[in-house]
Amino acid sequence: MNKTISFHLQKGGVGKTTISGTIACQSALDGYRTLLVDVDPQGNASSWFYKNSLRWELSDVLQGNCYVNDAIVEIPNMENLFLLPTFGIGGGLKTYAETKIVDEPYVLQDLIRELSKDFTRIILDLSPGLGKLERAAIIASDEVITPMTPEVFSLDGLEIFIDELQKIKKNLRSQVRHERIIINSYDDRIRQHKDIFEAAKSGVFQVFKIPVDPVFRKAQEANSAPQLFKQRGKGLKQITLEAIQSINSAIWR
Amino acid sequence: MALKKNPNANEFEESASSQKAKALFSKDTALRKENKVLTTFSIEPSFKRELEELFSSMGLGWAAGIRFALKEFSKKYTEK
C-alpha cells in the first residue's frame, strides 16, 4: 500500500530532517521505491543528499514551471531513493509559501496524489513552524509523526501541536492520523529522559526512541546515508540501527 | 563560604519536565474522543415508530435517540 508520512513538530531542532532523511534511507535500503520531498525552504534535506546544483525544485513544480519528473532526482549511491529538492539558496519555496499557497491549500495534496502512482513510500520533510506551507504538507500526508527531544519545550510544543492539528483537520477536512511520537536524542543515563519516555508511553501514542548518536551529524556532513556512513570503521551504534529499523517497519504498515 | 549539602533535600524530587510530561500525556488520553463503532440490530416496526416519535418530541434523531436512551439505561443500572 502506498503511504505518505510527514514528521512534524513546530519547534525547531527536534530532528525532523534527520529522522525524515534517515527513515527515507532505511525504506530505500529495504528495497522500496521511496521519495523524499523537501518542503523546507532552507533545503537541508536536499543539501544533505545532493552536492551538485540542480535546475528545478519543488516550488517550480508547484508553480507549473516544469513537470514533476523533471525536478525529481535519484540520490547518488542509494538505490530506490529519490529526492524532490528545494534550494536553500536561490530557491523559490519561501516566496511561494508567503504569497501563493494561501490560495492553494490543497496544492501539495494534489501533487502527492499524483506522485503516489510512481512511489510506494513518500516522506515530506517540513520546516519548523505551522504556517500555510506546513499545513498544506500535513494534510497531504496519511500520517504525521511527531519527533521531539526529551525536554520541557518539546512537551509544550507537542501540546500546542495536538491542539492546532485538531483545527487543521476540522478546517481543511483532513483525515491525517497522529498516533506516534519519536523521542530523539534519548540518553538513558539521564533521568529526565527516562521520566518523559515513561510518561509518553502511558498516553495514547505509540512511542519510539532514537538514542543520541553523533554519527547522524557526521553522515550529513559527508552527504551520506547514516546507515552506510563509516569513519575509521565506526558507524551508527547497533542500538541506533535497531531503533531506526523498528520505527521504519512500524510506520509503513 | 562553600555551599553545604542539605541532608533533608529529596534528591529524587520529580523534575518540572517529568511533571509536565505526565500532565500532558494523561490529559491527552482523557481528551481524545473514542471513535464510534457502527452497530446494527432489528426491531419491530411499530416499536420503532413509537421510539421515533418519542425521540422526535425530545428533538433527537434516531441514532442520537438510541445513544441517549442507552446512556440513560447504563447510568440507571450502573448506579444500582
Side-chain angles (χ1 to χ4, degrees):
Chain A
M1 195 187 79
N2 294 5
K3 192 169 179 184
T4 301
I5 291 178
S6 55
F7 293 92
H8 195 63
L9 184 67
Q10 70 281 5
K11 185 185 178 301
V14 293
K16 288 184 282 295
T17 300
T18 302
I19 293 173
S20 300
T22 305
I23 295 295
C25 289
Q26 190 60 50
S27 171
L29 288 168
D30 288 352
Y32 292 91
R33 210 173 138 80
T34 307
L35 175 68
L36 179 61
V37 183
D38 195 345
V39 196
D40 180 353
Q42 288 193 74
N44 294 137
S46 304
S47 58
W48 173 0
F49 291 110
Y50 225 86
K51 260 197 234 172
N52 306 328
S53 63
L54 295 161
R55 175 140 192 219
W56 304 112
E57 60 162 355
L58 173 64
S59 77
D60 289 313
V61 178
L62 297 177
Q63 293 175 94
N65 298 336
C66 67
Y67 292 110
V68 66
N69 288 332
D70 297 334
I72 291 174
V73 289
E74 249 180 288
I75 305 275
N77 310 318
M78 274 297 292
E79 207 181 334
N80 298 315
L81 185 56
F82 299 81
L83 172 73
L84 178 47
T86 282
F87 308 146
I89 299 171
L93 190 61
K94 189 169 181 283
T95 310
Y96 180 80
E98 287 167 353
T99 54
K100 299 185 180 164
I101 207 165
V102 180
D103 304 321
E104 306 168 329
Y106 299 102
V107 68
L108 276 169
Q109 198 175 56
D110 293 343
L111 176 66
I112 297 300
R113 205 166 286 155
E114 192 62 32
L115 287 168
S116 297
K117 293 172 193 159
D118 292 329
F119 295 94
T120 328
R121 297 171 170 188
I122 301 174
I123 293 177
L124 309 183
D125 180 41
L126 312 193
S127 57
L130 203 47
K132 303 277 180 203
L133 182 64
E134 292 73 39
R135 284 164 205 262
I138 287 169
I139 63 160
S141 314
D142 298 301
E143 180 174 1
V144 56
I145 300 173
T146 292
M148 57 178 283
T149 43
E151 39 82 31
V152 75
F153 292 144
S154 270
L155 292 164
D156 286 345
L158 178 61
E159 191 174 22
I160 296 165
F161 184 64
I162 290 169
D163 191 49
E164 287 294 321
L165 189 63
Q166 290 303 322
K167 292 180 206 159
I168 294 170
K169 286 172 77 169
K170 191 178 167 204
N171 296 339
L172 296 170
R173 291 183 292 280
S174 165
Q175 300 286 321
V176 62
R177 294 197 308 278
H178 183 227
E179 297 160 352
R180 305 184 229 247
I181 57 178
I182 298 173
I183 297 185
N184 191 25
S185 301
Y186 181 85
D187 188 337
D188 62 6
R189 295 166 300 180
I190 301 173
R191 184 153 176 262
Q192 182 191 26
H193 291 197
K194 286 200 269 189
D195 288 347
I196 291 177
F197 180 68
E198 289 305 319
K201 273 203 308 184
S202 70
V204 290
F205 289 100
Q206 185 178 14
V207 187
F208 300 95
K209 57 187 174 189
I210 296 180
V212 63
D213 199 320
V215 171
F216 285 116
R217 181 178 47 80
K218 290 176 186 170
Q220 286 164 350
E221 284 169 6
N223 305 104
S224 168
Q227 294 90 331
L228 304 180
F229 179 80
K230 291 265 190 303
Q231 196 175 47
R232 293 188 207 100
K234 277 191 175 175
L236 284 175
K237 296 173 198 164
Q238 187 56 31
I239 188 175
T240 311
L241 284 168
E242 285 167 8
I244 294 163
Q245 283 158 3
S246 129
I247 294 168
N248 185 59
S249 63
I251 63 177
W252 299 111
R253 267 182 223 142
Chain B
M1 200 169 135
L3 191 64
K4 196 176 166 186
K5 183 177 176 174
N6 176 359
N8 299 320
N10 184 0
E11 282 180 48
F12 298 104
E13 214 166 78
E14 197 170 38
S15 66
S17 50
S18 168
Q19 287 173 30
K20 169 84 192 173
K22 281 182 184 164
L24 171 65
F25 292 109
S26 60
K27 183 178 94 180
D28 188 58
T29 315
L31 283 181
R32 279 203 177 199
K33 273 189 183 171
E34 254 185 292
N35 286 331
K36 291 188 175 67
V37 289
L38 186 66
T39 180
T40 59
F41 59 94
S42 309
I43 185 172
E44 293 83 356
S46 57
F47 185 40
K48 185 170 187 245
R49 273 195 298 277
E50 196 183 308
L51 287 173
E52 274 173 339
E53 276 167 28
L54 175 65
F55 295 152
S56 168
S57 70
M58 298 164 78
L60 298 172
W62 174 246
I66 292 289
R67 275 196 294 269
F68 174 75
L70 290 173
K71 272 184 191 158
E72 288 301 302
F73 174 87
S74 158
K75 231 188 276 173
K76 186 176 172 187
Y77 289 98
T78 312
E79 279 163 15
K80 281 185 180 175

